[in-house]
């Protein structure tokens, strides 16, 4: 065939100017596919790499879409729609620009010759990036440093680490939430995140650590790969990045949930109060403390026991151990646990893993899959060592340490404590509380606490920002040690009470710390502080304070009054990806003042929580977004889009309710499963239309996975003063008839409604 000269020249010119795509100096292939309804996955891989994309346990197992763009060379600018996004690609350097359906720019990634990925940043805060914050420089007074909420302004080395001071453990996640309307998650490789430049951020691939062998309990103080992906997963030039359109934050959170697996529903009891114990006397003390809770009518759902070695005398022989401590258990452990169960508390035990000699790795699934090797490191093999505890009646686990595990093993450990208990008790929801976590643990029921923090007012302030960022980028369930772990002279009854108030609005509601009697609700009213477990301790003059216990009891009872609201939030976390503790950005993305705040948050959609973190505070400044907001304690309305000053005393932590909110309010129970004949109160806050779906299931079993739940929808027409109730789904375990006590606020008008499941409407 002969070409006309112009056509021949055109083809020759095109071939001359075609850019071969490379990565780390190797010929490469660029694949771009739809990831979720509002996200795409960009994979740049050496041609020699044959898998479609690198593996990471952070992502749920699901069938992926085929690449809609798959190229090895670029002849010039390329534009193509990928899912709901418009993708533009240009060469030199290889740059991918992502735009949404509205024509709004989402993000732009430039793949640099040095292996870095750069992206523009704007004037809006960047949030997320996992749990924790910066490590203070040696000799720095961290109590005087500003709190890091916005992640801009520094190089994040993204090193997982144990850390005390104000932040607690660092569990980094390379999921950046740009509140200007974008989010990025680097699935592979591990990266440092450089946000020092005001206009441009960089992802810097981190090669495997030194050749010192695997991290162990002995060398865990070194950074030789602990918490990072295994060295075998690192392929030079292999880059895998998710780009999310976050102009609508709710759509972003939904996509993250789908990609990483929907959160497992916790057992309802896990939303109750948990009391942690350290140095134990004997089993009589264990049951006696629960008796005291019941006598004082301070609600309680679980007791947690530390292991020996972490305290002079714990529930077991010196850790790591699966054997009950005979110095503590004068009766058989099963009998003691049975007594605790009869007093309506669950029993949770602290557990640490074997070192590498007995647990060389963590891998596999439960039950064992046909192709898996059931060696000492297989989680099914390791789980068998827990069966004696399960047979004795232990309900849940507190897996501590394991900092020496690599990232994949850390996620696998969450899987162990989810699949393991289910293999033993197939229809009972597991629960575990971990020190370490990463994106993707929610599908394994992942709960994390912030580790061993100092008792200080600065720590309490910082934990608010830590919890918000964690909840945006790791899992929906988080909490901190109420009172701080390391006591000192700064720990007082006042600090404990303020922390307890904050803890009542965290998923994990647990008091824990050294010199542990001071973490009992009545501990500050005693004349002694119990076993001295630290070098620095509270001042004895702070004891005999009768003012603390009533405040603590008030917020404990409030937690139980919000049981139906909180349990519905757990269901929302599963179905929408929204956490319980929410950045204001999630519901007010256009409000720059709200977006920048890291010292207050939304609890669900409708409650705004402003913890008090200043010693001796008599006021608390609270920013209210647009709309009308009601003071929880007085029902006084306030106009939003402004900062107000709320007077406080020790009994008041400011809480505000959005106009149009519909809030279920339970009677005060002493434990979450306590039967009651008192009707569920439904509070309606006037001033705007509202709707609310109440989620109910048995709170215990796995039947929810098959849809065994009742969804009751409430709709409020503010102008007509009309409430409509409709059952969206009904489970056989819910009563056919029930009473609702409907209260209209701020007036306080009320109606008793007998609801039979048939749609009903009525007017105030």
């Amino acid at each position: 065939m002969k070409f006309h000269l112009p056509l021949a020249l055109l083809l020759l010119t095109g071939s001359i100017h075609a850019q071969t795509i490379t990565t780390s100096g190797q010929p490469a292939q660029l694949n771009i596919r739809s990831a979720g309804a509002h996200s795409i996955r960009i994979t740049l891989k050496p041609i020699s790499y044959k898998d479609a994309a690198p593996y990471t346990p952070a992502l749920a197992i699901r069938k992926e879409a085929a690449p809609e763009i798959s190229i090895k060379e670029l002849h010039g600018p390329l534009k193509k729609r990928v899912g709901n996004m418009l993708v533009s690609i240009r060469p030199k350097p290889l740059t991918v620009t992502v735009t949404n359906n509205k024509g709004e720019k989402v993000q732009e990634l430039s793949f640099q010759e040095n292996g870095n990925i750069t992206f523009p940043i704007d004037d809006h805060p960047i949030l997320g990036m996992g749990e924790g914050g910066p490590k203070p420089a040696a000799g720095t007074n961290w109590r005087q440093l500003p709190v890091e909420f916005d992640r801009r302004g520094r190089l994040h080395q993204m090193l997982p680490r144990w850390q005390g001071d104000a932040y607690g453990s660092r569990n980094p996640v390379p999921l950046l939430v740009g509140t200007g309307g974008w989010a990025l998650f680097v699935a592979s490789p591990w990266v440092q995140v450089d946000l020092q430049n005001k206009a441009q951020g960089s992802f810097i691939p981190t090669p495997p650590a030194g050749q010192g062998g695997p991290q162990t309990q002995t060398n865990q103080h070194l950074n030789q790969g602990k918490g990072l992906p295994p060295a075998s997963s690192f392929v030079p030039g292999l880059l895998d990045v998710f780009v999310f359109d976050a102009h609508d934050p709710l759509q972003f959170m939904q996509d993250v949930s789908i990609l990483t697996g929907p959160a497992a529903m916790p057992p309802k009891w896990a939303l109750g109060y948990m009391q942690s114990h350290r140095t134990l006397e004997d089993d009589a003390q264990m049951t006696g403390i629960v008796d005291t809770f019941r006598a004082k009518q301070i609600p309680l759902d679980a007791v947690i026991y530390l292991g020996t070695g972490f305290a002079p005398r714990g529930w077991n022989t010196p850790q790591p151990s699966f054997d009950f401590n005979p110095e503590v258990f004068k009766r058989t452990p099963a009998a003691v646990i049975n007594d605790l169960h009869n007093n309506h508390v669950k029993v949770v035990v602290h557990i640490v893993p074997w070192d590498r000699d007995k647990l060389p790795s963590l891998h596999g699934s439960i039950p064992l899959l046909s192709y898996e090797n059931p060696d000492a490191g297989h989680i099914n093999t390791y789980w068998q060592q827990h069966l004696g505890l399960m047979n004795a009646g232990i309900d849940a686990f507190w897996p501590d340490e394991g900092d020496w595990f690599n990232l994949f093993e850390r996620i696998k450990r969450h899987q162990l404590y989810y699949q393991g208990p289910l293999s033993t008790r197939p229809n009972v929801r597991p629960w575990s509380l971990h020190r370490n976590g990463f994106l993707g643990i929610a599908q394994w029921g992942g709960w994390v606490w912030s580790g061993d923090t100092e008792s200080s007012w600065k720590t309490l302030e910082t934990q608010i920002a830590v919890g918000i960022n964690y909840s945006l980028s790791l899992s929906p369930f988080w909490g901190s040690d109420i009172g701080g772990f390391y006591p000192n002279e700064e720990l007082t009854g006042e600090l404990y009470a303020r922390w307890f108030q904050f803890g009542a609005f965290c998923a994990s509601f647990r008091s824990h710390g050294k010199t542990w009697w001071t973490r009992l609700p009545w501990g500050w009213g005693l004349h002694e502080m119990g076993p001295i477990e630290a070098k620095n301790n509270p001042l004895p003059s702070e004891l005999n304070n009768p003012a603390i216990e009533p405040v603590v009891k008030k917020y404990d009872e409030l937690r139980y009054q919000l049981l139906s609201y909180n349990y519905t939030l757990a269901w929302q976390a599963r179905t929408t990806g929204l956490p319980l503790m929410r950045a204001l950005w999630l519901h007010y993305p256009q409000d720059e003042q709200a977006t920048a705040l890291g010292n207050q948050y939304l609890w669900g959609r409708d409650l705004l929580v402003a913890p008090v973190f200043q010693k001796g505070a008599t006021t608390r400044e609270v920013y209210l977004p647009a709309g009308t907001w009601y003071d929880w304690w007085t029902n006084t309305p306030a106009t939003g889009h402004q900062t107000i000053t709320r007077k406080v005393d020790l009994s008041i932590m400011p809480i505000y309710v959005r106009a149009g909110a519909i809030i279920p309010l339970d009677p005060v129970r002493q434990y979450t499963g306590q039967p009651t004949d008192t009707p569920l109160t439904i509070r309606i806050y006037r001033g705007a239309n509202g709707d609310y779906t109440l989620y109910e299931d048995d709170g215990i079993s796995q039947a929810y996975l098959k849809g065994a739940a009742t969804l009751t929808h409430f709709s409020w027409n503010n102008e007509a003063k009309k409430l409509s109730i409709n059952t969206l789904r009904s489970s056989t375990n819910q009563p056919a008839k029930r009473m609702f006590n409907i209260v209209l606020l701020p007036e306080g008008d009320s109606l008793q409604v007998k609801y039979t499941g048939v749609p009903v409407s009525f007017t105030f």
Side-chain angles (χ1 to χ4, degrees):
M1 177 183 291
K2 295 183 178 180
F3 292 102
H4 294 292
L5 183 59
L7 180 58
L9 287 173
L10 179 62
L11 291 174
L12 180 61
T13 302
S15 63
I16 290 174
H17 289 91
Q19 177 187 349
T20 299
I21 295 175
T22 61
T23 181
S24 291
Q26 308 172 64
Q29 182 171 339
L30 178 68
N31 289 337
I32 304 178
R33 53 170 56 86
S34 177
H38 303 278
S39 55
I40 63 172
R41 184 176 191 176
I42 302 172
T43 306
L44 180 64
K45 60 176 186 172
I47 292 176
S48 59
Y49 184 82
K50 299 305 180 184
D51 292 338
Y55 167 77
T56 171
L59 302 177
I61 298 174
R62 57 194 287 268
K63 185 178 181 180
E64 285 199 283
E68 297 182 50
I69 295 176
S70 183
I71 56 176
K72 297 178 182 178
E73 59 181 22
L74 194 59
H75 295 269
L78 170 67
K79 286 188 178 182
K80 188 173 183 180
R81 183 161 295 281
V82 177
N84 291 318
M85 305 283 206
L86 179 63
V87 174
S88 301
I89 306 173
R90 65 179 187 270
K92 296 183 180 179
L94 179 65
T95 300
V96 180
T97 304
V98 182
T99 306
N100 66 17
N101 271 335
K102 297 179 180 179
E104 299 167 311
K105 183 177 177 180
V106 177
Q107 247 310 351
E108 182 174 273
L109 302 181
S110 293
F111 296 87
Q112 306 296 327
E113 290 185 6
N114 63 1
N116 294 353
I117 305 173
T118 61
F119 53 94
I121 56 179
D122 50 33
D123 294 332
H124 300 278
I126 296 176
L127 307 180
M129 297 182 64
E131 182 189 46
K135 186 175 183 178
T140 303
N141 185 347
W142 51 265
R143 286 175 169 84
Q144 297 179 354
L145 297 177
V147 174
E148 180 180 277
F149 177 56
D150 182 354
R151 301 295 198 176
R152 293 177 299 168
R154 72 178 179 95
L155 171 66
H156 298 260
Q157 295 182 323
M158 305 297 279
L159 284 175
R161 62 177 178 268
W162 172 90
Q163 183 176 327
D165 60 64
Y167 290 96
S169 298
R170 181 72 175 112
N171 284 294
V173 179
L175 172 55
L176 283 64
V177 182
T179 57
W182 57 272
L184 298 171
F185 171 55
V186 182
S188 185
W190 195 260
V191 292
Q192 295 185 33
V193 183
D194 190 350
L195 299 178
Q196 298 175 92
N197 189 299
K198 292 183 178 180
Q200 179 179 276
S202 297
F203 294 126
I204 306 170
T206 304
Q211 304 300 315
Q215 294 264 228
T216 66
Q217 194 276 340
T218 304
N219 69 14
Q220 63 177 310
H221 62 285
L222 302 175
N223 287 310
Q224 294 182 169
K226 65 182 180 186
L228 304 182
S232 60
S233 70
F234 182 84
V235 177
L238 178 59
L239 304 169
D240 194 31
V241 185
F242 289 80
V243 180
F244 298 88
D245 179 7
H247 286 91
D248 183 335
L250 306 189
Q251 293 175 344
F252 154 67
M253 295 300 295
Q254 180 80 78
D255 267 17
V256 172
S257 174
I258 291 170
L259 292 169
T260 61
M265 283 293 291
K268 186 177 285 187
W269 65 261
L271 293 171
Y273 176 63
M274 303 185 189
Q275 182 62 58
S276 187
H277 302 59
R278 286 182 51 85
T279 300
L280 297 172
E281 296 171 6
D282 53 28
D283 55 50
Q285 180 198 38
M286 296 165 66
T287 56
I289 285 177
V290 177
D291 289 338
T292 302
F293 272 94
R294 298 301 181 226
K296 290 176 172 287
Q297 294 190 303
I298 299 174
L300 174 72
D301 257 274
V303 284
I304 305 178
Y305 298 116
L306 193 72
T308 302
F310 289 69
R313 187 156 59 185
W315 73 269
N316 60 354
T317 54
Q319 290 277 32
S321 166
F322 294 91
D323 299 320
F324 289 96
N325 188 348
E327 294 183 6
V328 171
F329 289 90
K330 307 305 181 183
R331 297 182 293 142
T332 65
V336 176
I337 293 168
N338 186 61
D339 285 351
L340 293 168
H341 285 165
N342 287 338
N343 219 346
H344 308 289
V345 293
K346 304 298 182 183
V347 181
V348 185
V349 291
H350 172 258
I351 199 91
V352 302
W354 301 113
D355 203 355
R356 295 295 188 183
D357 57 339
K358 294 184 179 180
L359 198 60
S361 65
L362 281 179
H363 64 92
S365 301
I366 304 175
L368 181 76
L369 300 178
S370 60
Y371 58 85
E372 293 177 346
N373 177 21
D375 59 12
H378 193 287
I379 63 172
N380 189 61
T381 303
Y382 182 41
W383 174 250
Q384 304 310 307
Q385 300 177 50
H386 296 71
L387 296 184
L389 301 179
M390 297 290 284
N391 292 335
I394 295 301
D395 297 286
F397 295 91
W398 171 21
D400 194 6
E401 288 221 331
D403 300 86
W404 53 89
F405 289 135
N406 68 43
L407 177 65
F408 289 10
E409 292 177 295
R410 288 184 174 196
I411 298 175
K412 189 63 64 176
R413 199 176 184 206
H414 283 265
Q415 184 179 346
L416 160 70
Y417 285 103
Y418 183 75
Q419 291 183 330
L422 280 175
S423 71
T424 305
R425 298 175 188 157
N427 201 31
V428 178
R429 292 181 210 170
W431 186 80
S432 57
L433 180 66
H434 295 248
R435 177 188 294 275
N436 302 314
F438 191 73
L439 187 65
I441 64 171
Q443 64 180 320
W444 308 121
W447 290 53
V448 173
W449 98 100
S450 59
D452 301 338
T453 56
E454 291 276 351
S455 297
S456 76
W457 290 97
K458 174 56 71 172
T459 305
L460 175 55
E461 177 188 6
T462 301
Q463 291 297 291
I464 305 168
V466 168
I468 296 171
N469 277 325
Y470 170 101
S471 300
L472 282 171
S473 56
L474 207 156
S475 96
F477 302 109
W478 176 88
S480 66
D481 288 342
I482 292 175
F485 178 73
Y486 291 112
N488 51 54
E489 292 186 359
E490 198 171 349
L491 176 58
T492 62
E494 179 193 5
L495 176 59
Y496 177 74
R498 291 302 191 193
W499 210 314
F500 198 97
Q501 293 166 353
F502 168 57
F505 289 88
C506 295
S508 173
F509 184 29
R510 177 185 80 139
S511 289
H512 176 66
K514 287 190 172 184
T515 310
W516 71 276
W517 284 20
T518 60
R519 306 315 193 286
L520 291 166
W522 56 86
W524 293 95
L526 301 175
H527 67 277
E528 60 176 320
M529 60 185 72
I532 301 300
E533 301 175 314
K535 294 180 180 179
N536 300 308
N537 290 283
L539 295 172
S541 59
E542 291 294 328
L543 298 174
N544 297 300
N545 185 346
I548 305 306
E549 183 179 333
V551 174
V552 167
K553 182 177 181 180
K554 173 181 178 177
Y555 283 84
D556 195 4
E557 290 180 340
L558 177 58
R559 173 73 168 216
Y560 282 75
Q561 286 180 289
L562 290 171
L563 177 61
S564 291
Y565 181 83
N566 294 343
Y567 195 62
T568 297
L569 291 184
W571 168 70
Q572 290 176 7
R574 174 171 179 79
T575 55
T576 70
L578 287 170
L580 286 71
M581 187 179 192
R582 301 182 187 176
L584 270 66
W585 168 76
L586 284 170
H587 294 290
Y588 300 94
Q590 304 305 318
D591 187 333
E592 293 186 2
Q593 190 169 352
T595 296
L597 285 173
N599 63 12
Q600 62 180 63
Y601 57 97
L602 296 169
W603 185 246
R605 174 69 180 88
D606 296 320
L607 299 182
L608 188 150
V609 178
V612 178
F613 50 82
Q614 292 180 334
K615 182 179 180 179
T618 56
T619 61
R620 170 60 152 99
E621 288 195 346
V622 183
Y623 177 75
L624 302 176
T628 299
W629 294 82
Y630 292 92
D631 187 304
W632 174 266
W633 305 109
T634 66
N635 294 322
T636 304
T639 301
H641 203 52
Q642 65 168 329
T643 298
I644 64 171
T645 300
R646 173 61 159 97
K647 291 183 178 180
V648 299
D649 57 29
L650 185 59
S651 71
I652 297 296
M653 177 180 71
I655 304 170
Y656 286 85
V657 191
R658 182 182 61 88
I662 300 173
I663 307 289
L665 202 66
D666 286 75
V668 175
R669 293 178 171 88
Q670 294 307 302
Y671 55 95
T672 55
Q674 184 177 27
T676 178
D677 294 329
T678 305
L680 182 67
T681 294
I682 304 295
R683 286 186 176 184
I684 302 169
Y685 289 83
R686 290 190 59 194
N689 293 336
D691 68 271
Y692 179 78
T693 299
L694 173 69
Y695 176 86
E696 298 168 291
D697 63 23
D698 63 22
I700 301 170
S701 77
Q702 295 291 86
Y704 77 93
L705 294 171
K706 298 180 180 179
T710 295
L711 299 176
T712 307
H713 183 253
F714 299 84
S715 179
W716 169 250
N717 185 313
N718 190 64
E719 184 176 355
K721 297 179 67 174
K722 179 181 177 181
L723 179 68
S724 301
I725 309 176
N726 181 35
T727 299
L728 303 179
R729 187 203 305 166
S730 181
S731 171
T732 55
N733 64 10
Q734 296 298 329
K737 298 179 182 180
R738 65 189 304 185
M739 296 295 295
F740 289 124
N741 180 36
I742 312 297
V743 178
L744 184 63
L745 295 171
E747 295 88 346
D749 299 341
S750 64
L751 288 173
Q752 291 281 331
V753 176
K754 181 181 290 186
Y755 182 61
T756 63
V758 178
V760 63
S761 298
F762 51 89
T763 303
F764 278 86

